[in-house]
């Protein structure tokens, strides 16, 4: 019996994916990044992943590794018509694999305080709530929940 989950394929994005990513960005966020903002993510210190399902780009993630052994998840988005089917986990797995490959010890992110599905995803992957950023988001103005994940075993062992 199927639980409604579908499996996609994650790959590194290429510059030719910018239009598809921008379209998903517009359909997913009330204050979307521009094409040029997305294009600027194609550099040696950032990972842009796309998720394909049935031959179409249906999700993406932007993972910024410019902070030494710390990194930040800037965006994760899934086509609104395909949300709730487990696809975002594939993007999280790609981010965590990149973090391990690049020796990242801490991953940080901001998420709209009202975005319960995203908060649930991050919590499932071990992220902890560490703060609040008042009025961080626009359209509408909303607070951001700050979350982080310590990926380095030494960092998590020291808290025992």
């Amino acid at each position: 019996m199927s639980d409604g989950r579908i499996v996609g394929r994650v790959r590194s994005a290429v510059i030719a994916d910018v239009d598809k990513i921008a379209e998903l960005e517009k359909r997913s966020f009330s204050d979307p990044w521009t094409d040029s903002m997305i294009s600027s993510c194609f550099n040696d210190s950032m990972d842009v992943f796309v998720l394909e399902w049935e031959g179409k780009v249906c999700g993406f993630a932007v993972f910024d590794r410019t902070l030494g052994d710390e990194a930040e998840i800037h965006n994760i988005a899934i086509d609104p018509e395909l949300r709730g089917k487990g696809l975002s986990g594939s993007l999280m797995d790609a981010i965590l694999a990149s973090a391990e490959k690049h020796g990242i010890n801490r991953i940080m992110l901001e998420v709209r305080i009202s975005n319960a599905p995203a908060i649930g995803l991050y919590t499932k992957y071990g992220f902890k709530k560490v703060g609040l950023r008042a009025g961080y988001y626009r359209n509408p103005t909303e607070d951001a929940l700050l979350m982080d994940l310590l990926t380095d075993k030494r960092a998590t062992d020291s808290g025992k």
Side-chain angles (χ1 to χ4, degrees):
M1 184 170 150
S2 172
D3 65 358
R5 304 259 179 231
I6 56 179
V7 178
R9 180 180 77 91
V10 176
R11 64 170 171 80
S12 291
V14 295
I15 204 74
D17 292 318
V18 169
D19 290 344
K20 295 173 204 113
I21 293 168
E23 178 59 30
L24 282 170
E25 178 83 13
K26 289 174 191 151
R27 294 181 64 212
S28 298
F29 302 111
S30 60
D31 191 17
W33 286 11
T34 65
D35 290 22
S36 63
M37 292 168 74
I38 295 165
S39 295
S40 73
C41 296
F42 287 84
N43 62 60
D44 290 341
S45 62
M46 294 180 84
D47 292 316
V48 181
F49 298 108
V50 292
L51 176 67
E52 295 178 326
W53 181 65
E54 292 190 345
K56 291 184 1 181
V57 172
C58 63
F60 73 94
V62 178
F63 184 52
D64 185 348
R65 300 178 281 99
T66 60
L67 304 171
D69 67 350
E70 297 182 344
E72 183 174 2
I73 297 174
H74 285 302
N75 281 352
I76 293 182
I78 299 294
D79 184 319
E81 295 175 10
L82 296 173
R83 290 183 186 157
K85 300 189 180 298
L87 287 167
S88 57
S90 298
L91 290 166
M92 286 298 300
D93 292 343
I95 288 169
L96 294 177
S98 176
E100 183 175 353
K101 175 183 172 185
H102 293 284
I104 301 298
N105 295 322
R106 180 180 181 212
I107 302 172
M108 301 167 286
L109 60 87
E110 295 101 4
V111 60
R112 278 187 185 270
I113 197 95
S114 65
N115 192 343
I119 293 168
L121 171 72
Y122 301 135
T123 301
K124 175 182 168 185
Y125 275 83
F127 283 79
K128 306 288 184 214
K129 299 172 185 176
V130 295
L132 195 70
R133 189 166 286 151
Y136 180 76
Y137 288 104
R138 302 181 303 176
N139 299 331
T141 299
E142 188 172 359
D143 296 346
L145 179 62
L146 306 176
M147 301 182 81
D148 73 7
L149 172 68
L150 299 178
T151 59
D152 180 53
K153 185 164 175 27
R154 291 168 294 162
T156 55
D157 286 348
S158 67
K160 289 184 181 176

